[in-house]
Amino acid sequence: MTPVQTPADLRPITALRFGAAIWVAVYTYWENLAGAGSSDLVDKGYLGVELFFVLSGFILSHVYLQSAGEKRFSYRGFLWARVARVYPLHVATLVGVGLLAAVALVAGMSVDGNVLSWVSLPANLLMVHAWGLAPVAGWNHPSWSISAEWFAYLCFPLFAFVFWRAREKPVAAVVGTAAFLTVLYYGFERVAGFPLTEATIRWGALRIVPCFALGCALYLVYRKTPLKAPWTASAVSFGLMVLSAALGLWDGITVLLAGALILSLASLPNERAGWLASKPAVYLGEISYSVYMVCVPWKLLAVNLAAKLTDAPDKQLQLFVWLAILALLPVVAALSYHLVEHPARKALRGMAQGRKTASSDKPQDGDTPKRVFQS
């Protein structure tokens, strides 16, 4: 594995991950709430993915940037750690969606033809389906963002090269990345006809780049001088981010405010973070990846079952039924975390550590092999 000592954990932004996942979940489930009107705050729920992307750049810089800059960085170990982090649950949810769709077809229910897209399966398995390499958005659709993350992981040495050299000018780095984000968002929409923040399968790999870069730049500010009044900064940035989304302002504004929130929360020492650093809050943050990845499989199962049991027309569920399904999402996510995500990650990391240990135990040229005697 990458030979670095992991810096202190940033518990407040770990807890923030759960909020981002729930924002995406409410956005995904909103169409099934009977009588639900239009809400800009809910309609902007796709920006929860942008928040994840900025967080990813910030956290990976926190853990790996210095070692990469000082050339103590193992690219192979880094990528293996990332695979261990995201791949097992990605495959498990892909299989889960496939099984649910197959059961639905056997039961005579209609299934979107793109869900079981066999032509898209190889790209999904290789995690390149958000690089414009999958013809349709099949299987577990939210996994497009994992494909985008994989693109950023592969490019991390390039990000590290740029931002390590900007470490003494963090404000300039933030201004530069904010300008890059603004120009890219504006230019993409002018050319493509839709916002980059709404891109998934065709342009997902590009969508992560400005957000990941913003996270790297914000980390430089944190590394140089954490904010002096983090609670105040957190409250203000959170309020402005929510207000921006609720007013339906340009997505770039909301993304930049989300970055300010991440920097503010990261500046909170764990001992002063209160409930944000509590075990329940951190645990919810730890299962946030599972929340995000089981969101659609759970929706397919729970909404269809609830609609059948309650005779809900067009899958429009009453409020208490809808809330129950949403409330059970973290429970399902906790199961997937403990049954799939956490043990698989531990096993894959253990495999890498075992290979490293075995390699270090091999005698080098000129060494005399050690003999082991048993009584």
Side-chain angles (χ1 to χ4, degrees), residues 158-205:
L158 178 59
F159 284 102
F161 177 84
V162 172
F163 287 100
W164 180 249
R165 280 152 184 78
R167 65 189 182 280
E168 297 302 328
K169 298 179 180 179
V171 175
V174 171
V175 172
T177 53
F180 169 63
L181 181 148
T182 301
V183 171
L184 183 59
Y185 278 11
Y186 177 78
F188 182 89
E189 187 166 4
R190 294 278 293 183
V191 173
F194 63 93
L196 180 59
T197 49
E198 295 180 14
T200 55
I201 293 297
R202 290 182 60 191
W203 294 101

Side-chain angles (χ1 to χ4, degrees), residues 60-374:
L60 290 181
S61 294
H62 178 60
V63 177
Y64 294 106
L65 182 61
Q66 183 169 347
S67 66
E70 296 175 350
K71 304 190 185 310
R72 297 182 290 107
F73 177 74
S74 167
Y75 186 47
R76 183 174 65 177
F78 168 79
L79 290 181
W80 184 257
R82 296 300 92 209
V83 168
R85 177 74 176 88
V86 302
Y87 194 68
L89 189 59
H90 164 57
V91 172
T93 53
L94 182 151
V95 172
V97 168
L99 291 175
L100 287 173
V103 170
L105 289 174
V106 171
M109 301 171 65
S110 62
V111 175
D112 188 328
N114 289 338
V115 173
L116 294 176
S117 172
W118 298 105
V119 69
S120 299
L121 184 59
N124 274 265
L125 291 175
L126 293 173
M127 291 195 296
V128 297
H129 49 299
W131 302 12
L133 300 177
V136 296
W139 307 94
N140 188 21
H141 183 263
S143 70
W144 73 264
S145 65
I146 307 308
S147 173
E149 289 273 2
W150 181 236
F151 178 80
Y153 299 158
L154 291 171
C155 296
F156 182 74
L158 178 59
F159 284 102
F161 177 84
V162 172
F163 287 100
W164 180 249
R165 280 152 184 78
R167 65 189 182 280
E168 297 302 328
K169 298 179 180 179
V171 175
V174 171
V175 172
T177 53
F180 169 63
L181 181 148
T182 301
V183 171
L184 183 59
Y185 278 11
Y186 177 78
F188 182 89
E189 187 166 4
R190 294 278 293 183
V191 173
F194 63 93
L196 180 59
T197 49
E198 295 180 14
T200 55
I201 293 297
R202 290 182 60 191
W203 294 101
L206 179 61
R207 179 173 169 179
I208 194 175
V209 171
C211 297
F212 195 90
L214 178 62
C216 295
L218 289 168
Y219 170 72
L220 296 182
V221 176
Y222 165 80
R223 185 176 185 272
K224 190 79 172 179
T225 309
L227 300 185
K228 299 299 183 184
W231 267 118
T232 301
S234 299
V236 171
S237 55
F238 176 75
L240 290 176
M241 185 188 75
V242 171
L243 181 63
S244 172
L247 294 176
L249 300 183
W250 181 58
D251 286 349
I253 297 174
T254 307
V255 173
L256 292 174
L257 289 169
L261 175 60
I262 291 168
L263 175 61
S264 302
L265 290 176
S267 299
L268 270 173
N270 290 338
E271 61 273 12
R272 292 176 48 201
W275 62 272
L276 285 172
S278 65
K279 288 184 178 181
V282 172
Y283 175 76
L284 290 175
E286 288 175 349
I287 68 169
S288 61
Y289 175 51
S290 280
V291 171
Y292 179 76
M293 291 297 285
V294 304
C295 180
V296 166
W298 174 240
K299 178 185 177 182
L300 291 173
L301 177 63
V303 169
N304 281 287
L305 183 59
K308 183 174 287 290
L309 292 176
T310 60
D311 293 323
D314 299 323
K315 300 178 184 178
Q316 294 295 291
L317 306 176
Q318 293 303 310
L319 178 61
F320 72 94
V321 178
W322 185 86
L323 286 175
I325 291 173
L326 188 63
L328 285 172
L329 175 60
V331 178
V332 177
L335 290 174
S336 74
Y337 174 80
H338 289 289
L339 295 178
V340 179
E341 180 187 347
H342 182 67
R345 185 197 318 168
K346 185 177 179 181
L348 289 175
R349 285 177 175 263
M351 287 171 55
Q353 190 62 43
R355 288 197 300 267
K356 180 181 176 182
T357 302
S359 177
S360 64
D361 286 343
K362 289 182 180 179
Q364 303 299 315
D365 291 342
D367 288 346
T368 301
K370 296 180 180 179
R371 295 184 178 181
V372 178
F373 295 91
Q374 295 180 344

